[in-house]
Amino acid sequence: MQKAARRSQSAARPPGRPREFDMHTALDRAVRVFRERGYHATSIGDLTAAMRLATGSVYKAFRDKHAVFLAAFERYTTLRQEQTHSAAARGANGREQIRNVLLSYVEHSQGTEGRRGCLVVGSAVELSALDPVVGARVNAQLKTNESFIAGLIRKGQADGSIPRHVAADDTARLMICITQGMRVVGKARLPLDGMRLVAVAMKLLA
């Protein structure tokens, strides 16, 4: 009967009732916690404190911690993709665009941002083998990133800044290994000579 009553109360709410909090702000705060602590070490209490929401508000907006995580993952990958595309757009040709993408990864792999880590890399290590839903999202994001770099390589080949003999797909896969490795190094707080690393990576396009 309690469930029925709750359903009745929910149905009685006016449609289109505005949320009492900004979803993007709340998810940005959740992203930070998941990046720093990982999924399993993050409790609902950690999330409510970080998101500055009451427990009831979290459960109204999300079914459970897993649902919060999936929404946070989507928010994180959307923002990172925008940052990567924006970095690439500053290049005059395909080669410069790839270099800018690599430099963007260097920037996000150092200092406080680097120590927080990458949510995609963290999820791949912690969850992919045991959580098929998260695993599928991680794989999809890595493939999206790889396809983007492969597209830039082909663009560079078309504009003459990258030699035709460079294997676009294979090189893009190797660059994904490099960029994700940067995030691991940054999370581990190891020294990262980013400019030197980028210079070496760019030799793949020679």
Side-chain angles (χ1 to χ4, degrees), residues 59-148:
Y59 281 119
K60 272 184 188 178
F62 308 97
R63 184 175 62 255
D64 51 23
K65 185 177 84 167
H66 193 261
V68 178
F69 180 81
L70 292 178
F73 186 92
E74 182 176 353
R75 172 70 175 163
Y76 174 79
T77 54
T78 296
L79 291 178
R80 281 294 295 126
Q81 201 162 305
E82 289 174 358
Q83 290 166 344
T84 302
H85 285 219
S86 177
R90 294 193 290 271
N93 54 46
R95 186 182 188 84
E96 287 185 11
Q97 289 179 341
I98 291 174
R99 185 173 185 276
N100 286 348
V101 168
L102 294 174
L103 290 173
S104 174
Y105 271 93
V106 168
E107 179 185 352
H108 286 86
S109 299
Q110 299 184 112
T112 301
E113 181 69 8
R115 290 192 294 274
R116 285 177 183 157
C118 172
L119 194 57
V120 176
V121 172
S123 301
V125 174
E126 183 182 12
L127 297 172
S128 283
L130 302 175
D131 188 324
V133 175
V134 174
R137 297 198 181 194
V138 167
N139 288 342
Q141 188 58 44
L142 290 175
K143 287 178 181 176
T144 295
N145 295 348
E146 185 178 316
S147 295
F148 179 62

Side-chain angles (χ1 to χ4, degrees), residues 2-21:
Q2 289 179 345
K3 289 183 179 178
R6 282 199 295 270
R7 283 197 297 269
S8 297
Q9 290 172 1
S10 177
R13 292 190 189 112
R17 179 180 177 180
R19 293 188 185 277
E20 297 173 356
F21 62 92

